[in-house]
Amino acid sequence: GSPMLSSNVTVFLFILDQNDNLPAILYPVTSGELMAPQRITRSVPADSLVLKIAAVDADSGHNAWIFYSLLQATDASLFRVSAHTGEIRTVRNFQETDLPEQKLLILVKDNGEPSLSTTVTILVSLEDQDYEENPRAGHLLKNHKETSDLSLYLIISLAAISLISFITLIILSVKCLKNTN
């Protein structure tokens, strides 16, 4: 219309997150089948780290806070779970009378109302002797010379490429200066 009229309005929009997502276990990876047991030696001292569970919740804010707890265990006096970090640690030294296979059921729940949760089963195998923790990692350590040679080749390649680039830059600079004169 004539004259033009206008107005400003401030609108506050608050988006509230509903607790509609279950926590998802990232580590250890489980795909419906039993996972390989976590092997630890009977000689580990109390408070040794066995495994750290990693989980996420797709909700946001307070609803996404995750808490861990030990729901069931073959022997609950052997292990504890950190409520905030998901670390599974030994409570005491192992004894000969402790069963060699331990099954732990860990509850992972969020902070929403109502709280949603999921569980993960961890198998712990108590070994009598030390073992190679990760064969691939040990393999890399045994082939240290091969890794060292690879690093040397990478350094030589980087130096050669840098030198060629520097020479090319000098040649182009000289040509540009000749063309301007």
Side-chain angles (χ1 to χ4, degrees), residues 125-158:
S125 176
L126 305 180
E127 305 287 327
D128 290 328
Q129 54 189 337
D130 289 336
Y131 57 92
E132 188 176 328
E133 188 169 314
N134 186 344
R136 283 176 268 158
H139 177 69
L140 289 175
L141 293 176
K142 289 176 187 170
N143 294 328
H144 180 68
K145 180 168 176 22
E146 183 179 312
T147 304
S148 177
D149 289 345
L150 180 62
S151 297
L152 179 65
Y153 295 141
L154 288 173
I155 291 170
I156 291 171
S157 299
L158 181 63

Side-chain angles (χ1 to χ4, degrees), residues 13-17 60:
L13 183 62
F14 295 100
I15 299 173
L16 299 176
D17 180 40
S60 63

Side-chain angles (χ1 to χ4, degrees), residues 43-85:
S43 62
V44 297
D47 201 40
S48 293
L49 180 66
V50 176
L51 176 74
K52 179 176 173 149
I53 300 170
V56 294
D57 192 313
D59 293 315
S60 63
H62 295 292
N63 291 341
W65 291 358
I66 294 178
F67 301 97
Y68 305 87
S69 62
L70 182 60
L71 195 59
Q72 291 178 347
T74 305
D75 185 350
S77 71
L78 289 177
F79 303 98
R80 67 176 166 81
V81 178
S82 172
H84 300 290
T85 64

Side-chain angles (χ1 to χ4, degrees), residues 10-144:
T10 302
V11 177
F12 293 99
L13 183 62
F14 295 100
I15 299 173
L16 299 176
D17 180 40
Q18 289 185 338
N19 189 33
D20 55 350
N21 293 297
L22 291 170
I25 308 293
L26 298 178
Y27 186 82
V29 178
T30 57
S31 59
E33 60 206 41
L34 289 177
M35 62 175 275
Q38 281 299 120
R39 299 185 315 170
I40 58 174
T41 61
R42 288 183 179 270
S43 62
V44 297
D47 201 40
S48 293
L49 180 66
V50 176
L51 176 74
K52 179 176 173 149
I53 300 170
V56 294
D57 192 313
D59 293 315
S60 63
H62 295 292
N63 291 341
W65 291 358
I66 294 178
F67 301 97
Y68 305 87
S69 62
L70 182 60
L71 195 59
Q72 291 178 347
T74 305
D75 185 350
S77 71
L78 289 177
F79 303 98
R80 67 176 166 81
V81 178
S82 172
H84 300 290
T85 64
E87 290 180 344
I88 301 173
R89 293 189 171 271
T90 58
V91 172
R92 61 174 174 80
N93 293 342
F94 295 113
Q95 302 167 353
E96 290 298 320
T97 57
D98 293 326
L99 294 174
E101 298 293 324
Q102 299 288 325
K103 186 176 179 180
L104 310 173
L105 183 62
I106 310 299
L107 176 71
V108 181
K109 68 177 184 174
D110 64 18
N111 194 42
E113 284 296 326
S115 181
L116 299 176
S117 63
T118 188
T119 59
V120 61
T121 301
I122 307 295
L123 302 174
V124 180
S125 176
L126 305 180
E127 305 287 327
D128 290 328
Q129 54 189 337
D130 289 336
Y131 57 92
E132 188 176 328
E133 188 169 314
N134 186 344
R136 283 176 268 158
H139 177 69
L140 289 175
L141 293 176
K142 289 176 187 170
N143 294 328
H144 180 68

